[in-house]
């Protein structure tokens, strides 16, 4: 065995070019060119396949994210809207004075809309019963429990959802949904153990209660609402969802008894349930809400809008909610 190993080692040693006085032989230029061409023929399709795979994955991720965001937003609106007692229709949001509240809520030419916005359109505005936990605190540090003998409470609140376009900062070049809310406070004539008046739980700035003792139908009464005039902090400050479509492509239709509010990726079909005269008993108001996202804008942060060819990039979600509460005229 040892002799065999010695023979193999000797033959390897003698076959080495350097040992025989020969220089090592490298690749010729033609061989290198051929190798490069063969490598490119193999690598280029693989690279193209990889790029296409990454682009496809990015597109699918954008679609999935938009679908999830739109569904989460519509679910949040539905939960909010189920507590409504009155929903404003298009007449209530686009008229001023006694015929509507357009000049009483945040507007592009007034107060409360984000700086730099080119569109700030109210689409869904309603009154609801707002639940307040006993530990909720107002701006003065008073808790609900201080007023209610350590109990929870319900108050009225005015809520609005807006379609906002334009602006700067962290938001996309597509549209987004903004939200505002102002709620009532709690007042009581109860005296505490020191026989002094208990503090009140303060209402939000600009809040003022609607007046059901006014003349007219329920709709006319609600359209006469005015804010308190303190609008410093009465702003659309919360963004619910970004990358909402801002095209005018029709994707929602309303029934004959409903009024359409909104023309782009955020539309509400509202039935106020208001009677035709003050002696009729009003029914609950209701709304069907449509929301359409724009995943294409996620891929290219531009104002690319939804078209029939890009329908797969424009997920939609719809809800129909009937208000749980009633408001009776007097």
């Amino acid at each position: 065995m040892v002799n065999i190993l010695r023979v193999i080692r000797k033959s390897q040693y003698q076959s080495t070019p350097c040992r025989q006085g020969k220089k090592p032989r490298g690749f010729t230029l033609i061989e290198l060119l051929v190798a490069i061409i063969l490598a490119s023929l193999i690598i280029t399709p693989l690279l193209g396949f990889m790029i296409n795979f990454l682009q496809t994955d990015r597109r699918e991720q954008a679609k999935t994210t938009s679908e999830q965001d739109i569904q989460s937003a519509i679910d949040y609106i539905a939960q909010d809207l189920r507590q409504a007692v009155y929903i404003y229709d298009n007449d209530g949001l686009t008229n001023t004075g006694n015929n509507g509240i357009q000049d009483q809520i945040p507007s592009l030419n007034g107060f409360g809309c984000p700086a730099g916005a080119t569109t700030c359109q109210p689409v869904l505005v309603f009154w609801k019963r707002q639940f307040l936990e006993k530990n909720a605190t107002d701006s003065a540090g008073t808790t609900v429990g201080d007023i209610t003998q350590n109990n929870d409470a319900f108050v009225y609140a005015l809520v609005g959802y807006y379609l906002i376009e334009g602006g700067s900062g962290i938001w996309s070049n597509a549209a987004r949904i903004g939200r505002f809310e102002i709620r009532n406070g709690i007042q009581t004539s109860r005296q505490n153990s020191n026989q002094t008046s208990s503090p009140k739980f303060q209402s939000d700035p600009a809040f003022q209660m609607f007046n059901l003792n006014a003349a007219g139908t329920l709709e006319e009464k609600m359209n006469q609402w005015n804010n308190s005039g303190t609008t410093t902090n009465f702003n659309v400050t919360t963004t619910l969802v970004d990358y909402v479509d801002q095209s005018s492509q029709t994707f929602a239709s309303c029934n004959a008894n409903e009024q359409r509010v909104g023309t782009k990726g955020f539309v509400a079909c509202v039935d106020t349930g208001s009677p035709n005269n003050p002696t009729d008993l009003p029914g609950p108001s209701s709304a069907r809400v449509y929301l359409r996202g724009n995943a294409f804008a996620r891929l290219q942060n531009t104002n690319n809008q939804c078209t029939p060819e890009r329908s797969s990039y424009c997920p939609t979600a719809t809800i129909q909610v009937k208000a749980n509460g009633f408001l009776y005229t007097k």
Side-chain angles (χ1 to χ4, degrees):
M1 178 63 69
V2 176
N3 292 331
I4 295 175
L5 292 176
R6 285 177 180 175
V7 171
I8 294 175
R9 183 178 177 185
K10 183 177 180 180
S11 63
Q12 290 179 344
Y13 179 81
Q14 291 177 348
S15 63
T16 303
C18 294
R19 298 296 182 181
Q20 297 176 355
K22 297 181 180 180
K23 295 182 179 180
R25 181 177 176 273
F27 293 104
T28 64
L29 181 58
I30 295 177
E31 290 175 333
L32 288 175
L33 291 176
V34 171
I36 292 173
I37 293 173
L38 292 176
S40 63
L41 292 176
I42 297 174
I43 295 176
T44 300
L46 291 176
L47 184 60
F49 173 79
M50 182 60 66
I51 294 175
N52 184 65
F53 175 80
L54 294 176
Q55 290 177 341
T56 301
D57 181 69
R58 184 166 173 260
R59 289 193 293 266
E60 293 302 320
Q61 184 64 39
K63 291 179 183 179
T64 301
T65 302
S66 291
E67 291 174 356
Q68 292 174 346
D69 287 352
I70 292 299
Q71 189 60 52
S72 296
I74 205 74
D75 289 343
Y76 184 94
I77 293 174
Q79 183 178 4
D80 209 12
L81 196 56
R82 288 190 182 96
Q83 306 303 319
V85 295
Y86 184 83
I87 308 171
Y88 285 97
D89 59 16
N90 190 63
D91 290 339
L93 296 180
T94 57
N95 295 324
T96 60
N98 292 335
N99 295 321
I101 62 171
Q102 177 176 261
D103 56 352
Q104 301 300 316
I105 59 178
S107 62
L108 189 61
N109 299 321
F111 57 89
C113 282
T118 57
T119 299
C120 187
Q121 179 187 9
V123 175
L124 186 62
V125 180
F126 55 93
W127 287 91
K128 75 168 189 175
R129 292 187 71 211
Q130 174 69 52
F131 173 76
L132 293 178
E133 295 183 349
K134 61 183 179 182
N135 295 325
T137 306
D138 66 6
S139 58
T142 303
T143 66
V144 172
D146 295 334
I147 312 300
T148 62
Q149 296 181 328
N150 207 33
N151 292 316
D152 301 325
F154 282 93
V155 297
Y156 283 110
L158 180 66
V159 177
Y161 289 89
Y162 279 65
L163 179 71
I164 302 172
E165 299 177 64
S168 58
I170 63 175
W171 308 116
S172 71
N173 290 322
R176 62 189 186 274
I177 305 298
R179 181 184 185 274
F180 79 83
E181 176 183 322
I182 52 174
R183 52 140 188 84
N184 197 6
I186 304 174
Q187 298 184 11
T188 179
S189 58
R190 178 179 61 84
Q191 292 185 331
N192 57 27
S193 58
N194 296 325
Q195 300 301 309
T196 58
S197 296
S198 299
K200 69 176 183 178
F201 189 82
Q202 298 180 355
S203 59
D204 290 332
F207 182 88
Q208 186 161 269
M209 194 63 185
F210 49 79
N211 180 16
L212 294 181
N213 292 320
T217 65
L218 174 62
E219 184 174 0
E220 292 170 340
K221 294 177 181 181
M222 300 304 290
N223 286 353
Q224 295 176 32
W225 177 81
N226 293 309
N227 64 56
S228 67
T230 307
T231 59
T232 304
N233 297 317
F234 185 16
N235 302 314
V236 186
T237 56
T238 302
T239 297
L240 180 65
V241 64
D242 198 359
Y243 294 101
V244 175
D245 179 43
Q246 56 184 345
S247 72
S248 298
Q249 179 189 354
T250 302
F251 78 111
S253 59
C254 299
N255 298 328
N257 62 321
E258 299 171 331
Q259 286 194 16
R260 180 189 178 103
V261 189
T263 58
K264 298 186 177 181
F266 182 31
V267 175
C269 299
V270 179
D271 179 5
T272 62
S274 180
N276 295 322
N277 61 74
T279 61
D280 292 337
L281 184 66
S285 51
S286 62
R288 285 186 294 118
V289 183
Y290 299 85
L291 192 57
R292 179 171 58 194
N294 188 344
F296 196 74
R298 292 180 181 271
L299 300 172
Q300 304 175 12
N301 191 19
T302 63
N303 61 350
N304 289 310
Q305 300 178 0
C306 288
T307 62
E309 296 77 16
R310 297 172 179 166
S311 59
S312 62
Y313 290 92
C314 302
T316 61
T318 306
I319 55 159
Q320 181 170 358
V321 177
K322 180 173 289 187
N324 286 332
F326 290 81
L327 289 175
Y328 297 96
T329 58
K330 295 183 179 179

